[in-house]
Amino acid sequence: MKAAIIGSTGYGGAELIRLIQNHPFLEVGSLISTSRAGPVDKIYPHLSHLSSELQELDLDLLCENNDMVFLATPPGVSSQWTPLIAERGKIVIDLSGDFRLYPETYQAWYDKEPAPITWLKKAVYGLSEWFGRQVKDAQIISNPGCYPTAILLALLPLLQAKVLDISSIIIDAKSGVTGAGRGLQQGLLFTEVNENLRPYKVDGHQHIPEIERFASQVAGDSIYINFVPHLVPMNRGILVTIYAKLVKDCSNQVLKEIYQTIYEAAPFIRLCEGRWPETKHVQGSNYCDIAWHLNKRTGQVILLSAIDNLMKGAAGQAVQNANLRMGWPEETGLTFSPLFP
Amino acid sequence: MKAAIIGSTGYGGAELIRLIQNHPFLEVGSLISTSRAGPVDKIYPHLSHLSSELQELDLDLLCENNDMVFLATPPGVSSQWTPLIAERGKIVIDLSGDFRLYPETYQAWYDKEPAPITWLKKAVYGLSEWFGRQVKDAQIISNPGCYPTAILLALLPLLQAKVLDISSIIIDAKSGVTGAGRGLQQGLLFTEVNENLRPYKVDGHQHIPEIERFASQVAGDSIYINFVPHLVPMNRGILVTIYAKLVKDCSNQVLKEIYQTIYEAAPFIRLCEGRWPETKHVQGSNYCDIAWHLNKRTGQVILLSAIDNLMKGAAGQAVQNANLRMGWPEETGLTFSPLFP
Amino acid sequence: MKAAIIGSTGYGGAELIRLIQNHPFLEVGSLISTSRAGPVDKIYPHLSHLSSELQELDLDLLCENNDMVFLATPPGVSSQWTPLIAERGKIVIDLSGDFRLYPETYQAWYDKEPAPITWLKKAVYGLSEWFGRQVKDAQIISNPGCYPTAILLALLPLLQAKVLDISSIIIDAKSGVTGAGRGLQQGLLFTEVNENLRPYKVDGHQHIPEIERFASQVAGDSIYINFVPHLVPMNRGILVTIYAKLVKDCSNQVLKEIYQTIYEAAPFIRLCEGRWPETKHVQGSNYCDIAWHLNKRTGQVILLSAIDNLMKGAAGQAVQNANLRMGWPEETGLTFSPLFP
Amino acid sequence: MKAAIIGSTGYGGAELIRLIQNHPFLEVGSLISTSRAGPVDKIYPHLSHLSSELQELDLDLLCENNDMVFLATPPGVSSQWTPLIAERGKIVIDLSGDFRLYPETYQAWYDKEPAPITWLKKAVYGLSEWFGRQVKDAQIISNPGCYPTAILLALLPLLQAKVLDISSIIIDAKSGVTGAGRGLQQGLLFTEVNENLRPYKVDGHQHIPEIERFASQVAGDSIYINFVPHLVPMNRGILVTIYAKLVKDCSNQVLKEIYQTIYEAAPFIRLCEGRWPETKHVQGSNYCDIAWHLNKRTGQVILLSAIDNLMKGAAGQAVQNANLRMGWPEETGLTFSPLFP
């Protein structure tokens, strides 16, 4: 089955190529770029054993030659192209933020024209472990953001179990630098990031409304979070540290049972006991490591969650969703272990 | 004036040598190590332009040849030696945790015999900007821990101004690897730390009681904090992100005035406007960069504070305290700019 | 087919687990460690989705339960065990240096008792691209060292073609830190390696006789090399820069034809044109990127070669050799692309 | 004495500000930038304790308000401005490459119009340890490049002593990323440099003619070198590994005496015995660590040399030259120890 990638020259696109090339049922179809042309290894020399050519976008050709389309594009692109591709009957998996929010919220946080409402309504939020059933029938799968994936996978079980004071949620997030993409900015030069820890978007990050939307949906109540992201001098990985008050007097055992029950059949969730999640433990893989800790002195619960932002936080989850959509085993093409160290 | 260093072979000791060697009124006296002998450049080749020899501890000789003694020793050492040195009339600046806590608290968190209570009572907590007046007359100066320094400098102004809900304080802390010292542990190998972000001591760090003690003292009320430290793949630097609820409806302007008033004459506090603190901006220097942000959506205030853990978090503040104690200008020998990048 | 790993707790062992677990025809059999016991994820939490237990070495049990044995052990171990395993009819792939040298040379450079000469003679040097035909029939495959792999793959074509002045070979080598293993040494702490570049073993590295042996064998003449290795602050990767004088007036085109002819059918050799090899381009993969440059001003040729030291320099080539030995396609289980970035 | 900096917004300029601010006899005068305006801490927040403003270039104003002018400008700028400043009687210290080469060589390697020949002839090459006597009377001091500094300091003693086969010199050089400046290039993004080792300009680096010119001058013969630079994932530091054949049968002791004699009174040269130079041992300082090794198996000598490229390789040596020029002690304002770790 042939899969096209639109936005092949970003890190998310390159990761998709890596995964699809190694997938037993998927095959790399068209690689589309609007900014670059020529052989893909001019842009990604690590792929010089492949012989693909970047192509310009021609919708008819694209839909003729591919069965499925992944979009790994900047904000405001997918909102325009996805409807045109979906109209032609192709499955779309969109890694951008264009189909994750209500139109007004999208416009407020992304400062772009939202996707048409009819198409927004058809999109399914592809947090695989929570909305996998809807993904099976979706024509447009809106792949979650990297931070929301790490955060929601840790938070939703306790929200669903209604054990948290939902007004008390603090999320301190840390990300490797690939999360910022491959664009040229002085603040992303090696010299400026290396040996540095930097908070950013302290006054508001576009993943906040996405987290709040799906947290609220599962909690059945409006949730507002505090969220501060930090840039860590490493390439891959997100670690989130979540603080919240318990409303019930939960034991550690009760929390454990909540997580175990919900994630019993989830092949990519690893509940940590006797260790805390670290980003290196999931590097290059689709796993999400989750741990919790009760602070008895303060009545707070601390949640920790680690993913590889390009994998479970982007391309890996996109392939997981492709598997779900096609009825293949969820972990097809994703069973390799993390690269360590 | 001659200054001895006990514990010369750790990173804190090496940083003291660097600072004292460059100080106009201080001179490196005895370099004491219990674990190593020989020329100091066998242990620290970067100091091979100096020609100092490590010596064993001989109290009489030490006090004969030096006017001031810095201790940069592991827990449980200073509690024994500091009284013996102070008895001989020398000024002691202790960089360890041995004189920072009440005896029971010390025993509970450090699992060591506390220092004698009579000597504990004589020790002054050397957070220079807050207890500088007491430092001027102290014979034993208990230099603060690295995390407590970064945290208290950001937190105390708002606690003193009584604008925070003191039950709501969450501290998410991130440190470079020098904070863990030079001891051999698998978890501190380059291969295990590099490209990794790791939370640690999630169930309790020994700096918690130190932070709570002095936060409570300034707030005039008992404060319990949530504190999770993280190990960041960089050598130097601490960044802390503090979350708390406001009890009063403070504007950003009010917060700014609180900080400006308190730190008006503090040469090492840089209040950030239009930027957030980053660890690289203070690397190798004694500065502490502080910023605050009001989150109007949630009624929380976010405080950010960055220091170099070996400088303002250890050796730099120790020299600052030596300056205060001797009546020299506070910034003597500490005026160099951060090393960037 | 079941494969055992002796020395499962080093980085080479962990990499073998990762590869075998993902290999269509191989299966992880016994994981042997002499130093540690218990579940493998206590030592390697990144493997916590597996449920293997470390076992002590019991030769009979080992040979009963496994068809093939990989040794990733320190010097002096395989020399003793390999004969006992081979005697029991099992295929051995030894990643240590114990079967790579003549006995006297081994003793001189490793300062250990060499393996028995009868067994040494049976071992085949597993530089797959050069000795693959012998590997097909070997019972003991001596997997090359990391530096020798990167160096010989670049050097042997020109030695075979007799275009180099063999007295002029200078090899400047640079390696990531995983090459030094997981043992505790102060010089391998993050704080000491990070932001540092360090030459080491300038007066002699144990890979020198291995390089000279096989370079001489292919050249048909005695070769002595200059070799200085350097430790680079990164986890994975070796880059070697080789300098030599040409004896014939070769054009760039002639050199290109030499390489293309020899490596025409080699799936893991990527000859670089229009770019130079970089370690990140092969990270996590079994590829070896090779380039050459004629310096017309000086009459020297410069060769560049990059591998992932744990992959093509250790576990990857070991699996490649297993494939060759079993008659499977050479690239079985090794076709994934490098992890980038 | 007031010193102006033209090109204040690059890393070299920022390092000059740091050094001059801490120099007892120099004071930061005008900070000139052609690309940026406003307070210097907008561009360099680590300098936010200073209150300097960037200014446009006005030659008359510049020469009125400053006694000495440092240029840290891109190629092709100093060649135009230095004559105009020198004409007005000011001392110029040029950190760019514009006054280091003969005009034809400059044009060939930099592809820019060379400086006027009359002014070129007046410029003194400021390799302090070798041409310090000429620097004392110079009006234009051409500060050496970073690679040439590290290389020439190690190589010149043996060239002067005529113990090397000058046709055999191979230089393998490795640099941290600050050497590439602060300009925006995809290849300098954190994500592309981190965990990577990259050779570059293998077919010719503009420092080659500079090295050859002064090596030839000291050797009294024409020298052609092989030179391959590599980009190392660290911010600061250059390490060069030089390979050459000996023409005489020198003992290690003879080499040692050559170095000791020449560098007896050089405060910033540290000859290493019992250790090899590492970049971290000189980080942030003006030291150059040098070592040599005789390879008896091959008759080659290996030289190792480490500097901080922004210090001894740029701003530090510039200040050293200012000291020499003014008759101040050579190490004035440069006596601080390296920052370690």
Side-chain angles (χ1 to χ4, degrees), chain B residues 158 161 163-164 246-260 273 292-296 299-303:
Chain B
L158 301 195
V163 298
L164 298 184
L246 290 170
V247 282
K248 297 188 195 168
D249 195 23
C250 282
S251 67
N252 192 52
Q253 183 59 25
V254 168
L255 295 178
K256 182 174 166 180
E257 280 162 19
I258 292 172
Y259 281 108
Q260 283 187 335
E273 294 187 86
W292 56 90
H293 174 69
L294 274 181
N295 186 335
K296 285 171 195 163
Q300 294 251 351
V301 66
I302 292 158
L303 308 179

Short mmCIF file of all heavy atoms in Angstrom, two decimals, chain B residues 158 161 163-164 246-260 273 292-296 299-303:
data_model
loop_
_atom_site.label_atom_id
_atom_site.label_comp_id
_atom_site.label_asym_id
_atom_site.label_seq_id
_atom_site.Cartn_x
_atom_site.Cartn_y
_atom_site.Cartn_z
N LEU B 158 8.23 37.54 47.09
CA LEU B 158 6.76 37.42 47.07
C LEU B 158 6.23 36.86 48.39
O LEU B 158 5.10 37.16 48.78
CB LEU B 158 6.31 36.56 45.88
CG LEU B 158 6.74 37.07 44.49
CD1 LEU B 158 5.94 36.36 43.41
CD2 LEU B 158 6.58 38.58 44.37
N ALA B 161 6.23 39.78 50.76
CA ALA B 161 5.13 40.69 50.41
C ALA B 161 3.76 40.06 50.64
O ALA B 161 2.74 40.70 50.45
CB ALA B 161 5.27 41.11 48.94
N VAL B 163 1.96 37.89 49.03
CA VAL B 163 1.02 37.87 47.90
C VAL B 163 0.73 36.45 47.40
O VAL B 163 -0.07 36.26 46.50
CB VAL B 163 1.52 38.74 46.72
CG1 VAL B 163 1.64 40.19 47.14
CG2 VAL B 163 2.83 38.21 46.18
N LEU B 164 1.39 35.44 48.00
CA LEU B 164 1.21 34.07 47.51
C LEU B 164 0.35 33.23 48.44
O LEU B 164 0.41 33.39 49.67
CB LEU B 164 2.58 33.38 47.36
CG LEU B 164 3.58 33.97 46.39
CD1 LEU B 164 4.83 33.09 46.33
CD2 LEU B 164 2.97 34.13 45.00
N LEU B 246 -1.75 33.37 43.46
CA LEU B 246 -1.74 34.67 44.13
C LEU B 246 -2.93 34.76 45.09
O LEU B 246 -4.02 34.27 44.78
CB LEU B 246 -1.83 35.79 43.09
CG LEU B 246 -0.59 35.98 42.21
CD1 LEU B 246 -0.91 36.94 41.07
CD2 LEU B 246 0.59 36.51 43.04
N VAL B 247 -2.72 35.36 46.26
CA VAL B 247 -3.87 35.58 47.14
C VAL B 247 -4.49 36.94 46.90
O VAL B 247 -5.67 37.15 47.13
CB VAL B 247 -3.48 35.47 48.64
CG1 VAL B 247 -3.35 34.01 49.04
CG2 VAL B 247 -2.23 36.25 48.96
N LYS B 248 -3.67 37.85 46.45
CA LYS B 248 -4.19 39.16 46.10
C LYS B 248 -4.19 39.28 44.59
O LYS B 248 -3.44 38.62 43.90
CB LYS B 248 -3.27 40.26 46.66
CG LYS B 248 -3.18 40.30 48.15
CD LYS B 248 -2.41 41.55 48.55
CE LYS B 248 -1.98 41.46 50.00
NZ LYS B 248 -1.00 42.50 50.33
N ASP B 249 -5.01 40.17 44.12
CA ASP B 249 -5.05 40.41 42.69
C ASP B 249 -3.92 41.37 42.31
O ASP B 249 -4.12 42.57 42.19
CB ASP B 249 -6.42 40.99 42.32
CG ASP B 249 -6.65 40.91 40.81
OD1 ASP B 249 -6.02 40.05 40.16
OD2 ASP B 249 -7.44 41.71 40.30
N CYS B 250 -2.73 40.80 42.16
CA CYS B 250 -1.56 41.62 41.86
C CYS B 250 -1.45 41.88 40.36
O CYS B 250 -1.64 40.97 39.57
CB CYS B 250 -0.30 40.87 42.23
SG CYS B 250 0.02 40.89 43.97
N SER B 251 -1.07 43.05 40.00
CA SER B 251 -0.72 43.28 38.61
C SER B 251 0.75 42.94 38.41
O SER B 251 1.51 42.81 39.36
CB SER B 251 -0.95 44.74 38.25
OG SER B 251 -0.02 45.52 38.97
N ASN B 252 1.10 42.81 37.16
CA ASN B 252 2.50 42.61 36.81
C ASN B 252 3.36 43.75 37.37
O ASN B 252 4.47 43.55 37.86
CB ASN B 252 2.60 42.56 35.28
CG ASN B 252 3.94 42.07 34.82
OD1 ASN B 252 4.39 41.03 35.26
ND2 ASN B 252 4.59 42.86 33.97
N GLN B 253 2.82 44.95 37.34
CA GLN B 253 3.54 46.13 37.81
C GLN B 253 3.84 46.03 39.31
O GLN B 253 4.93 46.37 39.76
CB GLN B 253 2.70 47.38 37.48
CG GLN B 253 3.34 48.71 37.84
CD GLN B 253 4.69 48.93 37.13
OE1 GLN B 253 4.94 48.37 36.07
NE2 GLN B 253 5.57 49.70 37.75
N VAL B 254 2.89 45.53 40.05
CA VAL B 254 3.09 45.38 41.51
C VAL B 254 4.21 44.38 41.78
O VAL B 254 5.10 44.62 42.61
CB VAL B 254 1.78 44.94 42.19
CG1 VAL B 254 2.02 44.50 43.62
CG2 VAL B 254 0.76 46.07 42.14
N LEU B 255 4.17 43.27 41.05
CA LEU B 255 5.23 42.27 41.23
C LEU B 255 6.59 42.88 40.90
O LEU B 255 7.57 42.70 41.63
CB LEU B 255 4.97 41.06 40.33
CG LEU B 255 3.71 40.25 40.65
CD1 LEU B 255 3.56 39.11 39.64
CD2 LEU B 255 3.75 39.70 42.06
N LYS B 256 6.63 43.62 39.83
CA LYS B 256 7.88 44.24 39.41
C LYS B 256 8.42 45.17 40.50
O LYS B 256 9.62 45.17 40.82
CB LYS B 256 7.62 45.03 38.12
CG LYS B 256 8.83 45.70 37.53
CD LYS B 256 8.47 46.32 36.18
CE LYS B 256 9.56 47.29 35.72
NZ LYS B 256 9.21 47.88 34.41
N GLU B 257 7.53 45.92 41.10
CA GLU B 257 7.97 46.85 42.16
C GLU B 257 8.48 46.10 43.38
O GLU B 257 9.44 46.53 44.03
CB GLU B 257 6.84 47.80 42.53
CG GLU B 257 6.72 48.95 41.53
CD GLU B 257 5.37 49.66 41.59
OE1 GLU B 257 4.67 49.53 42.62
OE2 GLU B 257 5.02 50.32 40.58
N ILE B 258 7.84 45.00 43.69
CA ILE B 258 8.32 44.19 44.82
C ILE B 258 9.77 43.77 44.57
O ILE B 258 10.64 43.96 45.42
CB ILE B 258 7.42 42.96 45.02
CG1 ILE B 258 6.02 43.37 45.50
CG2 ILE B 258 8.07 41.98 46.01
CD1 ILE B 258 5.01 42.22 45.53
N TYR B 259 10.01 43.21 43.40
CA TYR B 259 11.37 42.74 43.10
C TYR B 259 12.36 43.90 43.03
O TYR B 259 13.46 43.84 43.55
CB TYR B 259 11.38 41.95 41.78
CG TYR B 259 10.89 40.53 41.92
CD1 TYR B 259 9.67 40.14 41.42
CD2 TYR B 259 11.66 39.58 42.59
CE1 TYR B 259 9.22 38.82 41.55
CE2 TYR B 259 11.23 38.27 42.72
CZ TYR B 259 10.00 37.90 42.20
OH TYR B 259 9.57 36.60 42.33
N GLN B 260 11.95 44.96 42.36
CA GLN B 260 12.89 46.08 42.20
C GLN B 260 13.26 46.71 43.52
O GLN B 260 14.42 47.08 43.74
CB GLN B 260 12.28 47.13 41.27
CG GLN B 260 12.35 46.71 39.80
CD GLN B 260 11.91 47.80 38.85
OE1 GLN B 260 11.14 48.69 39.24
NE2 GLN B 260 12.37 47.75 37.61
N GLU B 273 13.40 41.60 31.92
CA GLU B 273 12.18 42.06 31.26
C GLU B 273 12.37 41.88 29.77
O GLU B 273 13.41 42.22 29.22
CB GLU B 273 11.91 43.52 31.61
CG GLU B 273 11.58 43.66 33.09
CD GLU B 273 11.15 45.09 33.41
OE1 GLU B 273 9.94 45.38 33.25
OE2 GLU B 273 12.01 45.88 33.81
N TRP B 292 9.27 36.85 36.21
CA TRP B 292 7.96 36.42 36.71
C TRP B 292 6.95 36.60 35.59
O TRP B 292 7.14 37.41 34.70
CB TRP B 292 7.56 37.26 37.94
CG TRP B 292 7.57 38.72 37.62
CD1 TRP B 292 6.53 39.48 37.14
CD2 TRP B 292 8.71 39.58 37.67
NE1 TRP B 292 6.96 40.76 36.90
CE2 TRP B 292 8.28 40.85 37.22
CE3 TRP B 292 10.04 39.41 38.06
CZ2 TRP B 292 9.15 41.93 37.14
CZ3 TRP B 292 10.90 40.48 37.99
CH2 TRP B 292 10.47 41.74 37.53
N HIS B 293 5.89 35.85 35.68
CA HIS B 293 4.83 35.94 34.67
C HIS B 293 3.48 35.65 35.32
O HIS B 293 3.34 34.66 36.04
CB HIS B 293 5.07 34.93 33.54
CG HIS B 293 3.96 34.87 32.55
ND1 HIS B 293 3.67 35.91 31.70
CD2 HIS B 293 3.03 33.91 32.31
CE1 HIS B 293 2.62 35.58 30.96
NE2 HIS B 293 2.22 34.38 31.31
N LEU B 294 2.54 36.52 35.08
CA LEU B 294 1.18 36.31 35.57
C LEU B 294 0.37 35.58 34.51
O LEU B 294 0.27 36.05 33.38
CB LEU B 294 0.50 37.66 35.81
CG LEU B 294 0.74 38.31 37.15
CD1 LEU B 294 -0.03 39.62 37.22
CD2 LEU B 294 0.27 37.38 38.26
N ASN B 295 -0.19 34.43 34.88
CA ASN B 295 -1.06 33.72 33.95
C ASN B 295 -2.50 34.10 34.29
O ASN B 295 -3.08 33.60 35.25
CB ASN B 295 -0.85 32.21 34.09
CG ASN B 295 -1.63 31.45 33.05
OD1 ASN B 295 -2.64 31.93 32.54
ND2 ASN B 295 -1.15 30.25 32.73
N LYS B 296 -3.04 35.00 33.49
CA LYS B 296 -4.38 35.52 33.83
C LYS B 296 -5.47 34.46 33.67
O LYS B 296 -6.50 34.52 34.32
CB LYS B 296 -4.67 36.76 32.98
CG LYS B 296 -3.87 37.95 33.50
CD LYS B 296 -3.95 39.15 32.56
CE LYS B 296 -2.84 40.15 32.96
NZ LYS B 296 -2.58 41.11 31.87
N GLY B 299 -4.82 32.44 37.11
CA GLY B 299 -4.55 33.09 38.39
C GLY B 299 -3.26 32.64 39.06
O GLY B 299 -3.08 32.80 40.26
N GLN B 300 -2.38 32.06 38.27
CA GLN B 300 -1.12 31.62 38.82
C GLN B 300 -0.01 32.58 38.44
O GLN B 300 -0.05 33.22 37.39
CB GLN B 300 -0.76 30.23 38.26
CG GLN B 300 -1.70 29.12 38.70
CD GLN B 300 -1.06 28.17 39.70
OE1 GLN B 300 0.14 28.22 39.95
NE2 GLN B 300 -1.87 27.31 40.29
N VAL B 301 0.98 32.64 39.32
CA VAL B 301 2.19 33.34 38.96
C VAL B 301 3.28 32.29 38.70
O VAL B 301 3.33 31.26 39.39
CB VAL B 301 2.62 34.35 40.04
CG1 VAL B 301 3.01 33.66 41.33
CG2 VAL B 301 3.76 35.23 39.55
N ILE B 302 4.07 32.54 37.68
CA ILE B 302 5.19 31.65 37.35
C ILE B 302 6.49 32.42 37.58
O ILE B 302 6.65 33.53 37.06
CB ILE B 302 5.08 31.18 35.88
CG1 ILE B 302 3.86 30.27 35.74
CG2 ILE B 302 6.35 30.47 35.44
CD1 ILE B 302 3.34 30.18 34.32
N LEU B 303 7.38 31.85 38.37
CA LEU B 303 8.67 32.48 38.62
C LEU B 303 9.76 31.66 37.97
O LEU B 303 9.73 30.43 38.02
CB LEU B 303 8.95 32.56 40.13
CG LEU B 303 7.84 33.18 40.98
CD1 LEU B 303 8.24 33.17 42.45
CD2 LEU B 303 7.54 34.59 40.51
#
